[in-house]
Amino acid sequence: CPPAGAMVLCLSPSWATRVPSESCPGAWSLLLSRGVSFKVGGHSALESFVPPRRANYVTGTFAPGDPEGGWVGELARDLDCPTGGSVPLAHRLEDALLARWVLAARANLPVPPTLAFVLGTRGDLPAQPAAPGVRLVRLQDPQGQQSLVQEE
């Protein structure tokens, strides 16, 4: 294995295996059989790990456009080690309306004036407290609500 502190880049799902965690029931450990390792001084190499190397921290691109987060999201789900993100977090961060609401209502930061028409209840956007600068108009059905939209 590379020395402690080295970083390993996993470029393919075939390089990683999820196995039941020995230390955390219901969670998974991620074992890497191959990866690009980065060492002090800028040296990198494609390495095979025999036995497979256990990941002690996982981060990556969780493919927010993909509802399941792609293969990185699947590998990072329910791990026994810390992760630098998740598919639900990536979805929340990419949702401009939710991000503005959180910044305005929770962090009391100014946001651009926003008028948003939302279909249904949209449970991730609480009705209260109101967010300064963000106006939400909830529509049950877009059909027949043209007057409401024009009024707003």
Side-chain angles (χ1 to χ4, degrees):
C1 284
M7 182 173 88
V8 176
L9 177 63
C10 179
L11 297 173
S12 169
S14 66
W15 296 1
T17 305
R18 289 168 47 95
V19 297
S21 173
E22 294 176 7
S23 61
C24 192
W28 299 87
S29 292
L30 189 63
L31 303 179
L32 299 176
S33 59
R34 195 164 204 206
V36 178
S37 65
F38 297 87
K39 299 176 183 164
V40 177
H43 301 283
S44 62
L46 177 60
E47 295 189 53
S48 294
F49 306 113
V50 179
R53 179 181 179 178
R54 184 181 178 279
N56 57 21
Y57 182 84
V58 174
T59 191
T61 303
F62 294 97
D66 179 344
E68 300 302 316
W71 64 269
V72 175
E74 178 58 31
L75 286 177
R77 188 176 41 83
D78 301 326
L79 293 180
D80 61 358
C81 67
T83 60
S86 67
V87 173
L89 178 61
H91 285 295
R92 286 183 168 266
L93 292 175
E94 285 225 340
D95 184 329
L97 179 57
L98 180 60
R100 284 183 185 189
W101 189 90
V102 168
L103 290 172
R106 299 270 171 90
N108 202 25
L109 294 172
V111 298
T114 304
L115 173 60
F117 295 94
V118 181
L119 286 177
T121 59
R122 181 95 195 252
D124 60 338
L125 293 167
Q128 295 297 326
V134 179
R135 171 110 170 92
L136 295 178
V137 178
R138 297 181 189 274
L139 303 173
Q140 297 307 316
D141 180 3
Q143 300 299 330
Q145 295 192 356
Q146 291 86 354
S147 62
L148 175 62
V149 171
Q150 285 184 350
E151 181 183 315
E152 291 295 334

